[in-house]
Amino acid sequence: MPGGSGGGGGGHGGGCSISSNSGNQQSSISIVWFRRDLRLEDNPALAAGVRSGDVVAVFIWAPEEEGAYYPGRVSRWWLSQSLHHLDSSLRSLGTPLITKRSLDTASTLIDIVKATGASNLFFNHLYDPLSLVRDHRLKELLIAEGITVRSFNADLLYEPWEVNDENHCPFTTFAPFWNKCLSMPYDPAAPLLPPKRISSGNVSRCPSDTLVFEDESERASNALLARAWSPGWRNADKALMAFVNGPLIEYSVNRKKADSTTTSLLSPHLHFGEVSVRKVFHLVRMKQLVWSNEGNKAGEESVNLFLKSIGLREYSRYFSFNHPCSHERPLLAHLRFFPWVVDESYFKAWRQGRTGYPLVDAGMRELWATGWLHDRIRVVVSSFFVKVLQLPWRWGMKYFWDTLLDADLESDALGWQYISGTLPDGRDFDRIDNPQFEGYKFDPNGEYVRRWLPELARLPTEWIHHPWDAPESVLQAAGIELGSNYPLPIIEIAAAKTRLQEALAEMWQLEAASRAAMENGTEEGLGDSSDVPPIDFPRETEMEIDHERQLELPRINNTTVRRHADQMVPSMTITSSLVRADEEVFVDVDNAAADSRPEVPSTVDFESQPQREVAQAGVQPVANNITPQFTQNRLLNALNSTAESTSTWTEREGGVVPVWSPPAASSRSEHCPDDDDPGIGSNSYLQRHSQSHQMMNWRQLSPSMRSWEVENTVQPNAIG
DNA sequence: CATGTTTTCCG
DNA sequence: GGAAAACAT
């Protein structure tokens, strides 16, 4: 094995636990670095800080480090609210939250160390590719400064490296993974209680920066979010309790509904770590026990289903950890050859909810207006995106990232790969779901469509999910003129099916050609050139949106260079100006507000929706240089700073820490570190080519790691 | 009640 | 597309 391993400073646990200045553990000062674990309850890093003495609680805002994945507007709104909440609760226990604006997290942390005299740094693990690399590097830097660094699992039931199949290999499909999680020999760690009080480190020389999460143009839209959501860990806990004691029991019977009233609505809370997934798990399992004793079949079923969705979140981290480029490249190798349709007008129609398929359009408008979508509808719109429009899934993923309140890189990457059929257990590649049928399945009475597509509000249920079949007289009576008032289907499903067949044929052809080229040793030619280049998110995206919304939105002036693709959400005004009151299209807002559970606003003014094609050929020039490539380069640069081509594990106090070093830097710097990953073949490909199908990931690069695993069955979260 | 037929459900 | 479940005969 190539020696050294990145964890040079680490070695064994003892090596890095040498505290500097204070001999007395009791009085040492710890930095507790909050990231996506914005809670006081069941927060192992915070608990460790409190236990070892004085605490300096820190949040660092360094969005530039996120590259292409600068958080979207609604996501930033949530973050700002959540931080505010965290700050107040920390203060009530005795210490403030220090917030810092930074371009380089590591050096900011070192500055804080110097300003406060801290000797420990505690934080909880993250599993997205950027964090894996950054946190590892940062850990080494701080250790080199003489700081004790410990990190913990606060986000998962089990760390990714704990869950393996009988051959000690990571699972490549969800079902066995989740079965294994549910039958582990030890339970997930029990949730920790919040500290009773926190002794504050001296932060007088460490002032907070004021963090700015929204600009003027965003304020109005953001104000409306507060109507529907309450960020913050205390509120997350309330939401959890409300769900577990309420809708959970009906979860299984309600899963055919498109509306949000029966979902947990926990995902944004979970994304920011406002609630511990282990707490969710334990609570839900208690319920399961009770219902199982009562012989409540439906209740048990509900719990299993709900836990499965928790499992998917868990799996998304697992997946990201094992395949650090999962947000950028398909897992199945042959998918690299799929000829995606790079058509920005399709993309635009999809974003605007003007595809001509009511269920899809309703979903896209809900997403646009509220930052929220029921999981079912996410599947509908994304599957339409990939299978019917055949747009590159990464565009869709990026749009979700920009618009969803619970945007989550790992979950969304998994979701889009699942939909795109790029996972071994993903959806069938060649079958297209028909939005018309799904419409009658998830929205049998058309209520959902009518709520979000006022222009179809008067169409009878019989035609609501396929207006193109409706007789002219019916359309007239409903005030619909297809093609002007509401679009005709952007693509016929039948046409989409044949087009998909053709595309797949082409994909297999290219794949075969590439493989042949490889075998002839002429991989230069086809192998390289047909490697899917990173797909740039269309440049004008954010601009178009601005233009189209300009009537009602205060907008950033044209010359401003937006550093990120973002959405501007139309104002949601409580109005009946557009739709007559007697039509009952809109839910009474007061009633909605009276509900104690957070609810998506149900009233929207769609006056702003463009009613005719926006004739706009001129694409605004915009410097949107933040593309996925940018991320890749960043990742690679970070990786290149550690020289060894090996990966290994390092056990440190407070946790097992993944240490990730890349394969030796290749000359193809534009590629992902795991670019040589052959991915997994389809079944047929797999049989033909049994060697190359293995999931090559960085874990397999290191034989040393294997032996480590065998020797150590440490529970990483066991602290104290 | 067994058997054939249609529908539903897939992570 | 194939298994399981619901439905029909």
Side-chain angles (χ1 to χ4, degrees):
Chain A
M1 95 176 196
S5 96
H12 289 303
C16 61
S17 61
I18 305 158
S19 286
S20 39
N21 24 26
S22 89
N24 183 358
Q25 279 289 82
Q26 226 64 36
S27 66
S28 70
I29 302 168
S30 309
I31 294 173
V32 175
W33 177 30
F34 285 90
R35 292 106 66 82
R36 267 167 265 148
D37 50 355
L38 306 178
R39 62 172 184 266
L40 300 194
E41 186 174 2
D42 195 28
N43 188 324
L46 176 64
V50 169
R51 210 180 7 254
S52 40
D54 298 342
V55 167
V56 176
V58 172
F59 179 86
I60 298 170
W61 174 239
E64 285 79 7
E65 289 183 353
E66 311 291 322
Y69 296 96
Y70 184 93
R73 177 185 66 82
V74 290
S75 193
R76 272 178 284 126
W77 172 80
W78 189 290
L79 176 60
S80 72
Q81 300 295 303
S82 190
L83 287 173
H84 185 76
H85 187 103
L86 182 68
D87 179 51
S88 345
S89 39
L90 279 169
R91 278 174 196 276
S92 73
L93 296 186
T95 193
L97 179 68
I98 304 295
T99 55
K100 289 286 187 186
R101 180 70 175 88
S102 166
L103 292 170
D104 175 25
T105 301
S107 60
T108 299
L109 281 170
I110 290 173
D111 291 346
I112 297 169
V113 163
K114 292 188 171 144
T116 60
S119 53
N120 307 318
L121 172 66
F122 300 142
F123 61 89
N124 295 312
H125 290 155
L126 295 175
Y127 308 89
D128 63 283
L130 288 159
S131 298
L132 283 172
V133 174
R134 180 198 46 212
D135 295 349
H136 169 58
R137 215 198 89 217
L138 173 154
K139 197 165 211 172
E140 299 203 319
L141 279 170
L142 276 119
I143 287 167
E145 296 277 324
I147 303 301
T148 300
V149 183
R150 293 169 63 190
S151 60
F152 306 87
N153 170 20
D155 194 46
L156 295 175
L157 302 177
Y158 299 102
E159 291 282 18
W161 52 88
E162 293 177 74
V163 186
N164 291 303
D165 66 16
E166 58 278 6
N167 302 319
H168 307 285
C169 290
F171 291 99
T172 60
T173 51
F174 171 71
F177 163 81
W178 188 230
N179 284 335
K180 177 75 191 227
C181 288
L182 292 174
S183 61
M184 292 284 277
Y186 50 98
D187 278 336
L192 305 165
L193 292 172
K196 290 202 168 58
R197 67 173 296 276
I198 299 173
S199 154
S200 184
N202 181 356
V203 292
S204 58
R205 292 175 54 221
C206 188
S208 279
D209 298 332
T210 304
L211 303 184
V212 179
F213 292 105
E214 62 181 15
D215 59 42
E216 277 305 315
S217 69
E218 296 170 334
R219 191 156 301 155
S221 307
N222 284 347
L224 294 154
L225 288 168
R227 186 185 294 281
W229 298 94
S230 305
W233 70 278
R234 290 269 184 211
N235 297 318
D237 200 56
K238 280 182 207 152
L240 171 63
M241 292 309 176
F243 174 69
V244 169
N245 295 317
L248 172 60
I249 197 162
E250 307 252 271
Y251 196 77
S252 65
V253 286
N254 280 331
R255 75 200 146 116
K256 285 187 184 163
K257 298 185 181 168
D259 63 78
S260 59
T261 55
T262 57
T263 63
S264 72
L265 302 179
L266 287 176
S267 55
H269 295 294
L270 279 166
H271 170 76
F272 287 105
E274 295 177 351
V275 64
S276 152
V277 75
R278 290 189 295 238
K279 181 172 183 185
V280 175
F281 184 81
H282 280 110
L283 263 175
V284 169
R285 278 230 133 162
M286 303 264 257
K287 280 284 177 190
Q288 183 175 40
L289 219 67
V290 171
W291 288 333
S292 145
N293 282 338
E294 291 171 357
N296 186 334
K297 271 302 234 169
E300 263 193 288
E301 171 83 356
S302 290
V303 166
N304 288 334
L305 269 166
F306 178 69
L307 283 182
K308 193 173 90 173
S309 67
I310 295 291
L312 284 165
R313 194 196 89 99
E314 193 92 352
Y315 188 58
S316 73
R317 270 69 179 158
Y318 188 79
F319 182 61
S320 170
F321 180 78
N322 286 309
H323 305 280
C325 279
S326 64
H327 60 306
E328 310 204 311
R329 28 184 307 143
L331 194 59
L332 294 180
H334 57 270
L335 255 296
R336 291 188 219 177
F337 300 99
F338 188 87
W340 300 106
V341 175
V342 181
D343 183 325
E344 295 184 14
S345 66
Y346 281 3
F347 186 33
K348 184 167 143 191
W350 179 77
R351 293 193 314 265
Q352 293 178 335
R354 300 189 57 78
T355 66
Y357 290 93
L359 188 64
V360 174
D361 293 342
M364 292 311 290
R365 300 220 194 150
E366 181 183 16
L367 171 58
W368 180 261
T370 68
W372 175 264
L373 263 191
H374 191 289
D375 186 53
R376 296 275 143 192
I377 307 300
R378 294 184 198 205
V379 171
V380 169
V381 300
S382 56
S383 150
F384 185 86
F385 183 94
V386 171
K387 300 290 180 61
V388 177
L389 301 178
Q390 290 175 35
L391 293 165
W393 61 271
R394 279 170 39 199
W395 290 9
M397 191 183 100
K398 180 64 163 59
Y399 184 73
F400 269 25
W401 174 257
D402 291 335
T403 53
L404 278 171
L405 203 50
D406 57 8
D408 182 283
L409 200 50
E410 296 94 312
S411 291
D412 291 342
L414 182 71
W416 280 89
Q417 292 227 25
Y418 165 67
I419 292 299
S420 310
T422 66
L423 297 175
D425 53 351
R427 295 205 135 189
D428 279 339
F429 209 62
D430 47 358
R431 213 177 57 258
I432 290 183
D433 296 308
N434 190 324
Q436 177 184 336
F437 301 144
E438 300 199 301
Y440 286 108
K441 205 153 118 195
F442 301 134
D443 182 30
N445 303 317
E447 290 154 11
Y448 180 73
V449 164
R450 289 195 188 90
R451 175 183 299 173
W452 295 105
L453 301 178
E455 60 266 48
L456 298 186
R458 304 178 53 171
L459 198 59
T461 303
E462 189 184 356
W463 307 108
I464 192 87
H465 290 299
H466 53 134
W468 57 88
D469 289 330
E472 193 52 42
S473 59
V474 171
L475 290 175
Q476 255 172 24
I480 296 164
E481 198 184 326
L482 288 180
S484 94
N485 197 328
Y486 183 75
L488 283 159
I490 187 168
I491 295 174
E492 302 276 344
I493 294 297
K497 279 183 179 157
T498 49
R499 212 175 57 145
L500 186 59
Q501 294 304 332
E502 286 161 16
L504 286 172
E506 193 182 334
M507 176 185 83
W508 288 117
Q509 228 171 347
L510 286 170
E511 192 264 353
S514 155
R515 205 155 30 82
M518 297 284 257
E519 277 159 14
N520 293 338
T522 58
E523 64 235 68
E524 295 293 330
L526 242 181
D528 253 31
S529 67
S530 57
D531 214 343
V532 171
I535 297 167
D536 294 343
F537 199 57
R539 277 184 202 79
E540 93 301 0
T541 299
E542 65 268 26
M543 287 293 109
E544 277 176 21
I545 292 171
D546 282 359
H547 286 314
E548 287 157 15
R549 307 288 172 226
Q550 66 185 341
L551 282 182
E552 63 164 334
L553 290 169
R555 41 191 306 279
I556 297 175
N557 88 48
N558 267 342
T559 57
T560 306
V561 175
R562 308 267 308 267
R563 302 266 306 158
H564 53 94
D566 194 7
Q567 64 160 7
M568 303 298 291
V569 171
S571 313
M572 292 176 284
T573 51
I574 293 134
T575 176
S576 53
S577 67
L578 189 63
V579 178
R580 285 192 298 275
D582 59 13
E583 293 183 49
E584 289 192 359
V585 170
F586 293 136
V587 168
D588 180 355
V589 172
D590 290 328
N591 285 344
D595 191 345
S596 63
R597 300 183 67 225
E599 191 173 1
V600 166
S602 45
T603 308
V604 168
D605 178 2
F606 271 108
E607 205 138 24
S608 61
Q609 287 294 334
Q611 293 299 302
R612 55 205 131 68
E613 288 303 313
V614 182
Q616 172 187 286
V619 166
Q620 285 296 319
V622 59
N624 180 16
N625 50 5
I626 305 177
T627 66
Q629 280 161 294
F630 180 75
T631 322
Q632 289 183 348
N633 289 338
R634 220 159 225 299
L635 191 52
L636 204 87
N637 289 343
L639 288 168
N640 285 344
S641 67
T642 26
E644 294 302 325
S645 98
T646 175
S647 61
T648 181
W649 302 99
T650 309
E651 186 195 354
R652 304 211 174 105
E653 284 196 78
V656 177
V657 177
V659 175
W660 182 21
S661 308
S666 81
S667 55
R668 296 152 72 190
S669 62
E670 74 278 13
H671 287 122
C672 267
D674 69 339
D675 193 58
D676 297 325
D677 182 350
I680 310 178
S682 73
N683 285 334
S684 51
Y685 177 67
L686 209 133
Q687 275 143 23
R688 274 178 280 145
H689 231 72
S690 54
Q691 262 101 12
S692 66
H693 79 271
Q694 288 171 354
M695 249 197 273
M696 247 283 277
N697 59 56
W698 56 275
R699 304 189 59 187
Q700 293 178 323
L701 297 174
S702 163
S704 65
M705 188 211 66
R706 282 289 147 61
S707 54
W708 182 91
E709 270 184 9
V710 178
E711 292 161 26
N712 296 273
T713 40
V714 182
Q715 257 182 271
N717 199 44
I719 46 174

